[in-house]
Amino acid sequence: MNLRINSEFGTLRAVLMHRPGKEIDRLTPYNKELLLFEDVPYLEALQKEHDAFSNLIKESTGAHVYQLRELLIRVLYDQKTLLMLMKESLKKSGLVHLAEDILERYSTAECASILTGGLKIHELRRKIPNLKVGELMESAFAISPCPNLYFQRDPMALTPSGVIFSSMKMEGRQREADLLRTIFENHMEFKENVNRLYPIVGHDNPPSIEGGDIIVLSGKAVAIGNSERTDEKAIYHAAKAMLAEGTVERVYEVHLPNKRNYMHLDTVFTILDENLVLTYPDALNSVLQTSLYTLKEIKDDKVSIKREVLKESLLTVLEREIPHLEILHTADGNPDYSLREQWFDGANVFAIGPRRVISYNRNIHTNRALRELGVDVLEIPSSELSRGLGGPRCMTMPLSRSRI
């Protein structure tokens, strides 16, 4: 598998997803904000909706759906890898010294569940009765859960040049990126095909960048949102790596307003075909500044790039990069319905082929407008999935698409 994609809409061949698990049941009304949720989903119903989503992908495209848990278990059979991840996960609670005891008492599959679903002190005490944890309460987490893990778009991104592994802005999500990077750099099926663009090897605590801010405009151009989750320095380093590789010629830094509905660039717009973009009303014109990175020179293995502040709207950039651009607004521009459906990520549909998308069934006005433009809209149930405030694109990480 090449682990490079040159479009957002080429026919899907392989995708990575994560079926929600115990980590969701760790959410309570009291810790949900700390764990970056605004609601408390019902796990059983959430799993049914997620299963319907992954099954629809298989049935409609024939694409291979990789499940994160299965890949994680496979790489954890290497004891060094397992020990490393367990130690990293125990740092926050100050219980790193228990890593080897945990590995002795839990199976590999149980360890995979712990790394995603977390581990509480009272649960650990069942395996280690004489456990000494200082002042930690029995209900405290020895390892915190990762309830955002079913949003697989954020921990990494594939570009025409290679793979960007995220450095997550929120501390509570950093382990998600660590898990993905460990899987892809160690799994037999992927490790030989990883051209790692970011973070730079040897750089500790790299500036934050998240996959939801990275959109492939074409085989030659990539847009990255400068958002509340992605820093300018990270965009610079990622752009430098892509431009040095030689496939990508233009990297746009898109300066997003500091508002909730601009959390990531893919909440602003998605590309559905070579000339069709879905957005919500006025979003493209609200982004008033972009910067363009291009290659200056490569001399004696030293890469120099230049940055030009364009001071133009995102709409202007897209019109230049996408010939004969056609724009569809969520709910066909109706102000009331558009606001409502954008809250449930109306613009964040998942393209599984040219003018073929998967969308939440609750966004009825947007779905109707898409169909009127000839887009094949496949719907998934969304009462629980939407509580995490992420759409179908957020939940999927395409690993292979037909080249455009």
Side-chain angles (χ1 to χ4, degrees), residues 36-38 41 46 49-50 53 148 150-154 173 212 260 263-264 266-267 341-350 358-360 362-363 380-396:
L36 308 177
F37 263 70
E38 296 188 24
L46 185 68
E49 291 179 359
H50 195 273
F53 186 15
N148 294 277
Y150 76 94
F151 296 122
Q152 279 293 289
R153 184 69 62 156
D154 294 335
R173 297 199 68 184
R260 182 263 165 201
M263 179 184 293
H264 286 131
D266 68 359
T267 64
E341 295 192 359
Q342 182 57 26
W343 182 255
F344 295 107
D345 291 277
N348 190 268
V349 299
F350 179 45
I358 296 178
S359 176
Y360 281 154
R362 69 189 308 141
N363 293 327
I380 57 172
S382 56
S383 293
E384 296 300 314
L385 286 175
S386 62
R387 290 180 188 268
L389 297 183
R393 185 183 192 274
C394 292
M395 290 184 282
T396 50

Side-chain angles (χ1 to χ4, degrees), residues 165-205:
F165 292 111
S166 299
S167 174
M168 310 294 274
K169 186 74 168 184
M170 303 301 185
E171 182 184 358
R173 297 199 68 184
Q174 183 53 46
R175 287 201 302 110
E176 298 175 41
D178 295 340
L179 291 176
L180 266 290
R181 190 169 69 201
T182 300
I183 288 170
F184 280 85
E185 292 188 341
N186 291 278
H187 196 286
M188 290 295 295
E189 191 166 348
F190 305 114
K191 65 180 183 179
E192 299 300 326
N193 296 307
V194 173
N195 181 34
R196 174 172 159 180
L197 302 170
Y198 191 90
I200 300 170
V201 176
H203 280 208
D204 296 327
N205 302 314

Side-chain angles (χ1 to χ4, degrees), residues 82 136 252:
L82 175 54
L136 288 176
Y252 293 93

Side-chain angles (χ1 to χ4, degrees), residues 2 35-36 42 58 71 250 258 267 273 322 326:
N2 194 22
L35 294 171
L36 308 177
Y42 170 33
K58 296 173 190 175
L71 300 178
R250 299 173 299 282
N258 190 18
T267 64
D273 196 2
I322 302 175
E326 186 173 7

Side-chain angles (χ1 to χ4, degrees), residues 5-9 12 15-18 50 53 57 148-159 173 210-217 222-225 263-272 278 344-352 356-360 363 378 380 385 389-399 401:
I5 61 169
N6 74 340
S7 80
E8 294 284 339
F9 56 86
L12 190 69
V15 64
L16 177 64
M17 301 180 73
H18 172 63
H50 195 273
F53 186 15
I57 290 175
N148 294 277
L149 195 57
Y150 76 94
F151 296 122
Q152 279 293 289
R153 184 69 62 156
D154 294 335
M156 62 182 282
L158 269 62
T159 74
R173 297 199 68 184
E210 299 193 359
D213 273 318
I214 301 169
I215 293 181
V216 177
L217 301 180
V222 173
I224 306 179
M263 179 184 293
H264 286 131
L265 188 58
D266 68 359
T267 64
V268 176
F269 76 100
T270 48
I271 301 176
L272 312 185
L278 174 64
F344 295 107
D345 291 277
N348 190 268
V349 299
F350 179 45
I352 56 176
R356 196 167 191 232
V357 304
I358 296 178
S359 176
Y360 281 154
N363 293 327
L378 307 179
I380 57 172
L385 286 175
L389 297 183
R393 185 183 192 274
C394 292
M395 290 184 282
T396 50
M397 172 44 56
L399 299 179
R401 290 184 182 274

Side-chain angles (χ1 to χ4, degrees), residues 55-88:
N55 288 335
L56 180 59
I57 290 175
K58 296 173 190 175
E59 294 165 2
S60 60
T61 67
H64 185 87
V65 178
Y66 290 91
Q67 290 291 342
L68 180 138
R69 175 179 167 80
E70 296 171 4
L71 300 178
L72 180 60
I73 291 173
R74 180 65 186 85
V75 300
L76 293 184
Y77 283 129
D78 180 274
Q79 289 293 297
K80 289 182 179 179
T81 300
L82 175 54
L83 182 60
M84 179 270 294
L85 283 176
M86 195 62 70
K87 284 183 174 180
E88 287 294 320

